[in-house]
Amino acid sequence: MSTTTEPSAQGVAEQARPKMTRDVKRLVGGIVPANAATFAIIGAVTGILLPLQVQGIDPANKVANLAVVTSIGALVAMIAQPVAGTLSDRTRSRYGRRAPYIVGGALVGGLALVGMGSASSLVQITIAWVAVQVAYNFVLGPLSAILPDRIPRAVRGTFSAMAGLGVMLGAFAGQVLGASLAGSIGTGYVILAGVAFVTLTLFVVLNPDTPSTDLERPRFSVADFLRMFWVDPKAHPDFAWAFASRLLLYTGYFVATGYQLYILQDYIGLGDGAAAMIPVFGGISIVGLLISTVVSGPLSDRVGRRKVFVFASSALVGVAMLVPLVMPTVTGWVIFSILSALGFGMFQAVDTALISEVLPSGATYAKDLGVVNIAATLPQTLAPGVAGLIIVVFGGYAALFPVALTLSVLGAVAVWPIKAVR
């Protein structure tokens, strides 16, 4: 298969240019609102609006029904992001390889969100949510490729920290919006769709990419396309261990937090007041997120180390899982929110930079990032079903936390064998 000449040329240019050019600074600043607008949808929809919509159709079976909807959506998302990455790697346009998918995905996803607001059955909700997941993963795959495409290695920790900050701020803003519009779900979907489309379009306009029309297009092969989900762990062991670490920690995190609304309703005992309290807990979390994200990314650049931060983040998330197990109260959930925010914020800030340094091929950045991002989306597929099964079998939410603790610790252990990154 022929390859583009871009990666080697880009590698030379990366070594020659200053660490922080004006364009790089604009990208570092712009990734915050771009990620925030996208992940506000995740925070609002998966955290509040979708669970309320599902609960409104069949309150008695809300846990099982939410597991079905979110599992199907996340399974499709897992497939969509590597596909989007592969297509964007091969795209040749005057706007570059990534921009058409970022803007187009935001438009299609926004229309799907608007349609989701009018859904009145579980089947309709599932179809609309699948469309939303596909569209916004066509945004996220190419958007994540900006890091290895255009950010010098020496400042990737800083960029990764700002990207993670955008994710967390977006999730929190989504929770606030979702709680405030809990009585008007359709309006919430329209607002989220509009904000995401405008923000992502501005990001592309203000950060134009180099045209890709002169790049050689790799030869297309059906066999290569079908193999795009596979990266040989023997040939690329560091990539495989980084994938495993992300998969384990994300699974542990989502096993515990994927049912946050229902946990607050039934386990913590807030009942009908749970939806209104989610932004309160989110506001508490944002303090920990800001501290860990802003400090960890640049600090990892300064000391030239990534793995120690992943160890610390996984340990913090693991400790956080103990708190609601022994203290199933509002106070316990406050402590849980702070500790998990410190740990997950640190992980978000550093893990993306670590992964960008173990990618197998410079010619397929977006595809490879799409593959490794399966480690973030697959837990969303597995966690609701696994968590629902745990709740049903053990008759309560308490059993979720030991499982989450174990997975978080294993996530820390998995980065130890990585050799290319300190």
Side-chain angles (χ1 to χ4, degrees):
M1 183 177 70
S2 62
T3 58
T4 72
T5 59
E6 179 193 23
S8 58
Q10 183 180 23
V12 173
E14 181 179 86
Q15 296 300 321
R17 64 175 174 252
K19 293 182 179 180
M20 270 291 188
T21 65
R22 183 172 60 182
D23 290 344
V24 171
K25 288 180 180 179
R26 193 161 54 239
L27 281 166
V28 170
I31 196 63
V32 176
N35 271 356
T38 307
F39 281 87
I41 296 169
I42 305 300
V45 178
T46 62
I48 298 178
L49 299 180
L50 179 58
L52 288 175
Q53 200 172 11
V54 169
Q55 180 177 279
I57 292 174
D58 184 3
N61 296 299
K62 62 183 183 182
V63 171
N65 288 341
L66 183 64
V68 170
V69 175
T70 55
S71 295
I72 293 174
L75 176 62
V76 174
M78 180 184 68
I79 298 170
Q81 194 164 140
V83 171
T86 299
L87 291 175
S88 73
D89 283 334
R90 295 176 52 82
T91 293
R92 304 295 178 258
S93 80
R94 60 181 293 191
Y95 304 107
R97 294 181 294 172
R98 317 303 182 193
Y101 298 94
I102 294 173
V103 176
L107 176 60
V108 174
L111 294 174
L113 268 178
V114 173
M116 189 171 165
S118 61
S120 58
S121 71
L122 200 64
V123 172
Q124 291 174 339
I125 291 173
T126 302
I127 293 171
W129 181 236
V130 164
V132 169
Q133 287 276 46
V134 170
Y136 284 110
N137 274 280
F138 265 72
V139 172
L140 290 172
L143 190 63
S144 66
I146 289 173
L147 174 61
D149 272 354
R150 302 167 67 180
I151 304 298
R153 182 183 292 266
V155 293
R156 287 182 181 176
T158 299
F159 182 88
S160 179
M162 298 305 288
L165 181 62
V167 169
M168 298 305 172
L169 289 174
F172 172 63
Q175 291 174 357
V176 173
L177 179 64
S180 63
L181 292 172
S184 184
I185 293 174
T187 301
Y189 288 153
V190 170
I191 292 173
L192 289 164
V195 170
F197 177 72
V198 171
T199 304
L200 289 166
T201 301
L202 285 174
F203 175 81
V204 168
V205 170
L206 295 175
N207 298 279
D209 199 358
T210 304
S212 59
T213 49
D214 293 335
L215 296 176
E216 183 181 354
R217 190 192 304 272
R219 179 179 61 84
F220 178 78
S221 165
V222 173
D224 288 340
F225 182 81
L226 294 177
R227 283 196 297 266
M228 70 181 173
F229 297 101
W230 173 252
V231 176
D232 186 354
K234 291 184 178 180
H236 307 285
D238 286 349
F239 182 85
W241 284 115
F243 181 97
S245 174
R246 177 176 282 195
L247 177 67
L248 289 164
L249 189 132
Y250 268 70
T251 301
Y253 185 79
F254 281 107
V255 160
T257 62
Y259 282 87
Q260 181 177 213
L261 178 64
Y262 299 163
I263 289 172
L264 293 175
Q265 286 178 339
D266 304 329
Y267 182 67
I268 302 300
L270 294 178
D272 293 338
M277 287 298 296
I278 287 180
V280 176
F281 292 121
I284 294 169
S285 298
I286 205 70
V287 176
L289 291 170
L290 285 170
I291 294 172
S292 61
T293 301
V294 172
V295 171
S296 300
L299 185 58
S300 74
D301 284 340
R302 182 177 294 275
V303 302
R305 294 179 180 273
R306 312 290 190 200
K307 292 199 293 187
V308 65
F309 293 93
V310 176
F311 293 150
S313 65
S314 298
L316 274 172
V317 172
V319 171
M321 297 302 168
L322 289 173
V323 179
L325 184 63
V326 300
M327 191 185 299
T329 63
V330 170
T331 300
W333 200 257
V334 168
I335 298 172
F336 167 83
S337 299
I338 294 172
L339 292 178
S340 63
L342 286 169
F344 203 67
M346 184 184 300
F347 187 82
Q348 288 275 16
V350 177
D351 181 64
T352 303
L354 182 151
I355 285 172
S356 75
E357 296 174 20
V358 297
L359 294 176
S361 171
T364 55
Y365 279 149
K367 186 274 287 184
D368 292 332
L369 281 170
V371 171
V372 81
N373 282 339
I374 290 176
T377 54
L378 183 59
Q380 297 176 63
T381 304
L382 298 175
V386 171
L389 180 63
I390 292 171
I391 293 168
V392 171
V393 171
F394 292 96
Y397 296 93
L400 296 176
F401 302 107
V403 174
L405 168 62
T406 302
L407 292 170
S408 299
V409 172
L410 291 175
V413 173
V415 300
W416 181 260
I418 294 175
K419 297 178 179 179
V421 180
R422 296 168 64 193

